[in-house]
């Protein structure tokens, strides 16, 4: 499948800031399941700084802007050829050991509810892959997908207690359950072409990867009860949504910030 992406993020401030620095993880991962045909990142009025591939295999670009700045516009456009790998991440170079992703973080901390969900969901599993599939299914069933039910600062425990959430909550809950059972798991940010009618998807997406000894990292998308396939574009990963965020940055000034994001993912060739 060939997917096109158009993604614009606009940060607006209630007063001009003295400047800003940003770290962008917005370049498609280099792996067997996807190949960027063209890809362009622009920060309007910004200066591109250091670029490097980090230990997790993510391509990172640093950008800076000199003030006064009233708004920052980040534009990403591109075209990616994708192949269905049944969720298995192959050909991805990284140096961080899987055990590093057993580390608990605030959004992925397992409370008693998540611990119970992990044990109930994994009951009867025949091997690690089967256990991961069962955990993803349990999370899908326990947390209904409802846009706007939670915010970006919510935790997996809160989403489970509410019984509703978005893709970020599903990913955090699966990560929490897997780690509780000593299975390394991590958060993945990216894009999904989800329009069944071929129309554009309106949002970026997130899912989880679980380490399976005989396979490596395997993706699971509990929000859609499936494993990532050719409709998905993988950008980056981290222990939770904060670490895997496509855009991280700091604006110099005590101001209020508003963010407007538009994302369109379209399939131009099946």
């Amino acid at each position: 499948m060939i997917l096109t992406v158009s993604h614009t993020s606009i940060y607006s401030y209630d007063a001009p800031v003295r400047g800003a620095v940003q770290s962008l993880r917005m370049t498609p991962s280099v792996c067997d399941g996807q190949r960027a045909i063209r890809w362009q990142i622009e920060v309007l009025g910004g200066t591109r700084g250091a670029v490097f591939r980090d230990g997790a295999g993510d391509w990172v670009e640093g950008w800076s802007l000199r003030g006064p700045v009233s708004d920052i516009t980040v534009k990403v456009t591109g075209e990616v050829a994708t192949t269905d790998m049944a969720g298995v991440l192959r050909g991805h170079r990284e140096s961080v050991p899987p055990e590093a992703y057993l580390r608990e973080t605030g959004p992925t901390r397992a409370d008693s509810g998540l611990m119970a969900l992990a044990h109930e969901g994994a009951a009867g599993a025949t091997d690690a892959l089967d256990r991961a599939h069962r955990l993803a299914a349990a999370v899908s069933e326990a947390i209904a997908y409802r846009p706007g039910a939670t915010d970006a600062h919510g935790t997996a425990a809160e989403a489970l207690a509410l019984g509703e959430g978005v893709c970020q909550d599903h990913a955090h809950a699966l990560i929490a359950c897997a780690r509780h059972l000593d299975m390394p798991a991590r958060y993945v940010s990216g894009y999904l072409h989800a329009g069944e009618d071929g129309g554009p998807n309106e949002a970026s997406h997130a899912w989880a990867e679980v380490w399976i000894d005989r396979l490596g990292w395997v993706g699971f998308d509990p929000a859609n009860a499936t494993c990532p396939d050719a409709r998905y574009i993988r950008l980056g990963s981290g222990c939770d949504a904060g670490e895997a965020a496509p855009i991280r940055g700091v604006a110099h000034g005590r101001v209020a910030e508003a963010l407007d994001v538009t994302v369109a993912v379209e399939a131009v060739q099946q």
Side-chain angles (χ1 to χ4, degrees), residues 116-147:
L117 181 66
H119 290 290
E120 293 167 6
T126 56
D127 57 24
L129 182 60
D130 184 32
R131 186 180 307 122
H133 277 290
R134 288 172 183 256
L135 291 177
V139 169
S140 296
E141 186 173 341
I143 302 175
Y145 178 75
R146 190 167 76 83

Side-chain angles (χ1 to χ4, degrees), residues 42-221:
E42 298 176 89
V43 179
L44 302 187
T47 301
R48 190 178 186 228
V51 297
F52 62 95
R53 193 171 303 284
D54 67 12
D58 299 335
W59 184 253
V60 182
E61 294 191 2
W63 287 78
S64 62
L65 295 98
R66 300 184 63 177
V69 175
S70 298
D71 57 75
I72 300 173
T73 299
V74 181
K75 298 181 67 174
V76 174
T77 56
E79 188 174 38
V80 181
T82 61
T83 303
D84 184 1
M85 302 292 290
V88 179
L89 183 64
R90 295 192 186 283
H92 185 249
R93 297 179 60 183
E94 55 186 301
S95 58
V96 177
E99 293 76 15
Y101 296 97
L102 287 169
R103 177 170 59 89
E104 187 178 73
T105 67
T108 63
R109 184 164 295 117
D111 67 352
S112 59
L114 286 163
M115 293 178 189
L117 181 66
H119 290 290
E120 293 167 6
T126 56
D127 57 24
L129 182 60
D130 184 32
R131 186 180 307 122
H133 277 290
R134 288 172 183 256
L135 291 177
V139 169
S140 296
E141 186 173 341
I143 302 175
Y145 178 75
R146 190 167 76 83
T150 56
D151 60 37
H153 304 291
T155 68
E158 291 168 344
L160 179 61
L162 184 64
E164 298 177 331
V166 297
C167 58
Q168 173 177 304
D169 303 306
H170 289 94
H172 280 162
L174 175 55
I175 292 166
C177 289
R179 288 177 185 164
H180 178 63
L181 299 179
D182 293 325
M183 303 176 74
R186 65 187 180 187
Y187 190 99
V188 179
S189 61
Y191 300 108
L192 167 62
H193 171 60
E196 295 181 355
D197 59 356
N201 181 36
E202 295 182 349
S204 52
H205 197 53
W207 58 95
E209 288 176 344
V210 180
W211 178 262
I212 308 297
D213 279 343
R214 63 186 175 83
L215 288 175
W217 290 108
V218 180
F220 295 89
D221 179 8

